[in-house]
Every structure is written in structure tokens, then in C-alpha cells.
Amino acid sequence: MRKEKQTIKLSDHFTYGRLLKFTLPSIVMMIFSSIYGVVDGFFVSNFAGKTAFTAVNFIFPLLMILGTVGFMFGTGGSALVARTLGEKDWEKANSIFSLLVYVSLGLGVLIAAGGILLLRPLARLMGAEGQMLEDCVLYGRIILCALPAFVLQMEFQSFFVTAEKPKLGLAVTVASGVTNMVLDGVLVGIFRGGLVGAAAATAISQLVGGVIPLIYFGRKNGSLLRLGKARFDGRALWKTCANGSSELMSNVSMSLVSMLYNIQLLNLAGEDGVSAYGTMMYVNMIFLAIFIGYSIGTAPVVGFHLGAENYGELRSLLKKSAVIVGSCSVAMLGLGFLLARPLSVLFVGYDDALCRLTVHGFYIFAVSFLFVGFAIFFSGFFTALNDGLTSAVISFLRTLVFQIAAVLLLPLIWGIDGIWWSIVVAELMAALVGALFLVIKRKKFRYF
């Protein structure tokens, strides 16, 4: 007889191999989610020109802000649901899960409608004008039509892990990412659809990523979770929002800071500065996706063992995670130096001056990879422990306070180089703050 493949469960003891195997689907999910902007940027830059490429980079942070509710409900909700599963209350866990999905879908519709109406004045307020303004509005409004699906996609990425179906979540995300890449190639590369083609490709791929999980969880399935009747639970909603506020804060702040970076670069180096920053952010999105995916993958495990009071397993998870994150950080620093030139050529090789600016900035920016993984993991770890306040403080300092202070002050000393160094300084400070909280909270959660 053939042996059945053993399913990894939240209640298991996690070795390094099992931990990596369990979190790998979440990591790949986040990488494929990040590919949306990267693929759009590549095709727009090479087939629609520098102004269109600048417009996409300029408006993209605002679009991400509008979709961050999905991260909040996904990370905050999955931690709460996982803890409830650890307490063996299956019915309550599914009721909370259903409530969160329905509420987030309704919010997605409202946010999309408001975003479409306000996009032009917001883009103009940020400094876009002329053809760049028109490109921002055109691209943004098409993307916003699929925002409810994008919210669900971000939310389900976390819940697939909690439902012990990370591989299924990976399959859905891969299908969504492949859809985006293929449609970009067809609509932009072959039919020369420009910004409209790139935006349509992304919107359709987000529909794939959001609707398929909705259908799966809405039917009878083999996972721990299923959509059904939901009892309104204000306390669960509040707990989810409070617990997921760190991820909401992180994504909103990152987008706000990106907008500030773009404004600073527009003043210091014009459209070239914004394009160079955009190229670095594409690579940054993929590298950060690895750390975010790992945090998403480990969060339900941490939440389950907290609920089951398995403190020895919490200590083991923290120790192994520190080793994994540290190893990845060093590897990413090396990759950053190796890939700086070829990636710059890939995106902006048609403009020598812009390419040189991008390569130079990339070498400085890559140093931040040593610290960013720890900052992200520490914040996600406290979210998994249902300590949303600590997680939010780390995220707030990392993505808003440190970044804004650095990007406003360092360019006064080093000019445009100060912008690249500001990212490094902010991530270093955030990692140190996260480590400090880890020491402060050790007695309460008993992880070491």
C-alpha cells in the first residue's frame, strides 16, 4: 500500500525542515503577490515609456493604502481564529472567520468607490501634473475596480495557512500571478495596450486571487474553516482590528513614506529619481515578501501554541525563526549587490543616466536587507501572540517615524544619497526596537 503524505498540523512540533516546509507556501504566495507591480513596471517601462513608468510608481503607494484592510483582517483575524482553534472551539472559530470575510468584502466595495471618486484630487495633491497626472488617474481607476477582490486575496493568504491548507493558498496565488504575467505580455507586449493593458492585467489577476478562495471556503471543504452563518461579534471585530493594526499601520505607513520619497526625489532628481526609486522598490517588494510570507506562515503556529499553552514550542519557534531570518538577511545582502546592475538594466537600461543613478542607489539601499527581516518578524511575532499594541508600536516606528525622520534629515547632509541611506538607518532602528520589546515581554509570554 502507498503511504499517504503526512499533513503538517498546527499542533505539531516544528523542526527546521518542517517549519520551512510549512511556511514555504506563504512565502511563495507573498512573492507572487509582489510580482503584480514588478511585471506591470517592467512592461510599462519598456513599452510605454519613462513618464508612464513614473506614473505607475507614483500612484502605486496610494493604491496599496486603499487595499491594506485585507492585511489587517487577514493577519489580525488569523491569529484570533488560530488561538480559538487551539482552545478547541471549532464553531466559534468558523463564525469569527465568516464574519471577518463578510465585513472586509463590504469595506472593500466602499473603499473602491471612494477611491475612484477621489483619485484625481489626491494625485494632484501629491504633485502629479500634466500627462503624468492623467496616467496616474487612468491606471489607478482601473485597478480600483478590482479592489474588493484584492482585499479578499490579501485576507485569504493568511486564512489558508490557518486552515492548514497553505499549498492550496499557494496554488491560488500562483494562478493569480501567472494570469497577471500572461495578460501583461499579451495586452501590453503584443497588443501595445500601454497603461490600460497593464492595469487590466493586474485587475483581472486580482479577481482570480480573490474570487477562487471565496468559492472554496463557501463550499464544503477539507480544511479547518468554512464560510457560513456569522454571528455579529463586536469584541472579535475589535480584537481583529487591534491585533491586525500593526500590519495595517505597516502597509499604510510604507505607502505614505513611499509617497514622501517620491516627492523628495521629484524635487531632487526629477522623474529620473522617481523611476530609480521605483526600480529598487520592485526588488524590495520581492525580498520583503519573503520575510512577510514567513511571518504569515508562522503566525498561526505561534497563535495555536499560545492558546494551548505550549511554551516550550514557543521558545523553539522563536529560536529557529531567528536563525532562519538571519541567514536569509545575509543571503539577500549578497544578492542585492550581485543583482544591482542587471536589474537596473532590465528596467531602465534604455536610459544610461537613469541606469547609473539606479545602480549607485541600489548598492547603498541593499544594506537595509540585513535588518528589515528582523523588524518584520518581530512585529509579526507579537501579532501572532495577540499583542497587537506592541506589534503596532514596532510597525509605527519602523514604517513611519524612523523613515520620515531619516528621509527629511539625511538628504540635507548627503543630498540624494541621503534618501538611500535613510532606508538603511530606519530598518536598523526598527530591528533594535523589536529586539528590545522581545526582551521586555519575555516573562509575559514565556518564549525564553
Side-chain angles (χ1 to χ4, degrees), residues 52-71:
F53 181 53
T54 303
V56 171
N57 292 323
F58 198 78
I59 202 65
F60 194 75
L62 177 60
L63 301 178
M64 287 302 297
I65 288 177
L66 298 179
T68 48
V69 67
F71 286 101

Side-chain angles (χ1 to χ4, degrees), residues 9-12 14 19 22-23 26 29 74-86 156-166 224-225 292-308 313-314 317 380-381 383-386:
K9 298 184 179 298
L10 297 178
S11 56
D12 288 347
F14 281 78
L19 189 57
F22 189 76
T23 56
S26 297
M29 274 198 298
T75 55
S78 64
L80 178 60
V81 171
R83 182 171 185 170
T84 307
L85 290 171
F156 282 130
Q157 283 177 343
S158 296
F159 279 123
F160 267 123
V161 181
T162 306
E164 294 182 344
K165 294 292 182 181
L224 297 177
L225 301 175
I292 295 170
Y294 181 79
S295 295
I296 289 174
T298 55
V301 183
V302 172
F304 184 94
H305 287 291
L306 175 68
E313 189 64 24
L314 281 181
L317 287 166
F381 185 69
T383 296
L385 293 172
N386 286 261

Side-chain angles (χ1 to χ4, degrees), residues 6 169 264 273 280 315 318 377 411:
Q6 186 177 9
Q264 284 278 70
M280 293 177 214
R315 289 192 289 273
L318 179 59
F377 175 74

Side-chain angles (χ1 to χ4, degrees), residues 9-133:
K9 298 184 179 298
L10 297 178
S11 56
D12 288 347
H13 168 68
F14 281 78
T15 61
Y16 279 104
R18 183 165 290 188
L19 189 57
L20 288 171
K21 185 178 179 180
F22 189 76
T23 56
L24 182 61
S26 297
I27 293 170
V28 179
M29 274 198 298
M30 290 306 302
I31 290 174
F32 265 88
S33 296
S34 301
I35 284 175
Y36 293 143
V38 176
V39 174
D40 275 2
F42 170 77
F43 278 99
V44 170
S45 179
N46 286 278
F47 291 94
K50 185 165 67 176
T51 299
F53 181 53
T54 303
V56 171
N57 292 323
F58 198 78
I59 202 65
F60 194 75
L62 177 60
L63 301 178
M64 287 302 297
I65 288 177
L66 298 179
T68 48
V69 67
F71 286 101
M72 179 181 70
F73 277 92
T75 55
S78 64
L80 178 60
V81 171
R83 182 171 185 170
T84 307
L85 290 171
E87 295 167 350
K88 309 299 184 185
D89 196 339
W90 315 107
E91 183 178 346
K92 182 179 179 182
N94 276 280
S95 177
I96 293 173
F97 166 65
S98 300
L99 175 65
L100 297 179
V101 171
Y102 301 149
V103 171
S104 61
L105 178 59
L107 286 174
V109 173
L110 292 175
I111 294 169
I116 290 172
L117 290 174
L118 297 174
L119 190 60
R120 180 178 293 275
L122 287 174
R124 186 181 288 114
L125 183 65
M126 290 161 55
E129 55 185 21
Q131 186 58 47
M132 182 177 159
L133 173 62

Side-chain angles (χ1 to χ4, degrees), residues 345-408:
V345 171
L346 179 67
F347 280 93
V348 293
Y350 53 82
D351 188 316
D352 288 340
L354 175 55
C355 191
R356 286 195 300 271
L357 175 65
T358 305
V359 172
H360 174 72
F362 214 120
Y363 284 137
I364 299 173
F365 168 74
V367 179
S368 67
F369 297 142
L370 281 176
F371 316 112
V372 64
F374 288 103
I376 290 173
F377 175 74
F378 290 151
S379 177
F381 185 69
F382 283 109
T383 296
L385 293 172
N386 286 261
D387 187 353
L389 178 60
T390 299
S391 181
V393 170
I394 295 172
S395 293
F396 177 74
L397 291 174
R398 170 185 169 248
T399 57
L400 199 63
V401 176
F402 295 148
Q403 292 264 15
I404 289 179
V407 77
L408 290 178

Side-chain angles (χ1 to χ4, degrees), residues 132-155:
M132 182 177 159
L133 173 62
E134 298 306 317
D135 287 347
C136 286
V137 174
L138 177 63
Y139 181 83
R141 282 179 174 169
I142 295 172
I143 295 293
L144 286 172
C145 290
L147 183 74
F150 178 66
V151 168
L152 289 178
Q153 181 181 5
M154 294 299 100
E155 183 174 17

